[in-house]
Amino acid sequence: MNWRPATPEDAPEIEAFLQAHIETSVFLLSNLRKFGATGAAQDYAMTFYITGHPVSGVVAQSTKGVVMAQWPGGGDWARPLALLPAPITGAIGDGDQIDALLRAAGLRDRPTNLNSDEVLYALTLSDLIPQDGPGTLRPLTGADRAALIPWRTDYQINILGEPEETARAKAADEIAAYIAANSHRVLEAEGVPLAMTGFNAEADDLVQVGGVYTPPAQRGRGLARRAVALHLAEARAAGKTRAILFADNPSAQNAYEAVGFAPIGRFAMIFFKQGHAPR
């Protein structure tokens, strides 16, 4: 099966294909809509490569070297990999597909900062289960930086495997981006922030939950599930009908299942240690 670089004219066909596999394509579709199919000189923009007419497979690489893929049934992954312009620094997508892609690239056993094979969950928002508990939900503001940057720093180090020397700067950038995009929320009671939740991508009627965090002193009180449920209720009121997320921690999985999420597959997020990601 022949692979080729996408052109701007391919974007509608790529979008239709990704929408048909949306549960494991939200990041790809969001990037396509933001930057287009041929890549841009902006951070995190992706260059797309496709096969089939109509499109039956997509592989894309960001300006940071991260690869995302959607190729149900797969095939000879070496073909699209040969088109990539840069070394692979990480891979995100359907668990089985990413495993096959990395094996074809000879990278499956390379040292990683993050090697997460998580359960993919989905929820129809009409089935959302409300969660009782303290606090109300509100958007992030600049005044939250002092509390939330340490939260996100901890998340970067202990969940995403970011080195300590770079984690705080990355966390500060992310909190600034959340504020600018109005994508995340704080659960607060009597002026005290208790937990954070957010949507790290959206596509039409679907939201993808991400960035959920409860500081250690507040854990075990059901705060994360309440924050997630309140944010999803807000999304439902705005016209969204579906939500997805991925999780590998049993405590988090129990919380999401209590809100109504059910497992539908696997989702992989893998980032290689610097200096260990050859072509």
Side-chain angles (χ1 to χ4, degrees), residues 8-26:
E9 291 74 23
D10 293 315
E13 197 171 299
I14 296 171
E15 178 164 329
F17 169 72
L18 295 177
Q19 286 177 323
H21 304 279
I22 192 60
E23 290 83 1
T24 50
S25 298
V26 178

Side-chain angles (χ1 to χ4, degrees), residues 124-212:
T124 300
L125 292 184
S126 59
D127 297 328
L128 175 66
I129 302 171
Q131 301 294 305
D132 293 330
T136 57
L137 207 65
R138 63 165 177 79
L140 276 60
T141 71
D144 293 314
R145 294 174 193 266
L148 301 189
I149 290 174
W151 289 9
R152 190 63 188 176
T153 300
D154 179 63
Y155 188 94
Q156 281 287 339
I157 294 171
N158 293 307
I159 303 299
L160 299 183
E162 184 72 18
E164 290 188 23
E165 58 269 21
T166 58
R168 184 174 177 83
K170 194 163 189 177
D173 288 343
E174 288 178 331
I175 294 299
Y178 297 164
I179 294 170
N182 193 33
S183 59
H184 286 57
R185 300 288 183 267
V186 170
L187 183 70
E188 181 181 78
E190 298 180 351
V192 177
L194 304 175
M196 181 171 68
T197 188
F199 301 143
N200 57 21
E202 300 186 29
D204 302 323
D205 67 332
L206 181 144
V207 293
Q208 182 168 278
V209 177
V212 180

Side-chain angles (χ1 to χ4, degrees), residues 5-8 31-32 34-49 60-63 85:
T7 68
N31 200 282
L32 176 70
K34 186 173 183 179
F35 299 112
T38 57
Q42 302 179 60
D43 282 353
Y44 307 107
M46 307 198 83
T47 300
F48 283 70
Y49 304 88
Q61 187 173 38
S62 78
T63 53

Side-chain angles (χ1 to χ4, degrees), residues 47 81 92 107 121 167 169 184 198 202 253:
T47 300
L81 290 175
I92 299 173
L107 295 173
Y121 284 88
H184 286 57
E202 300 186 29
Q253 291 171 348

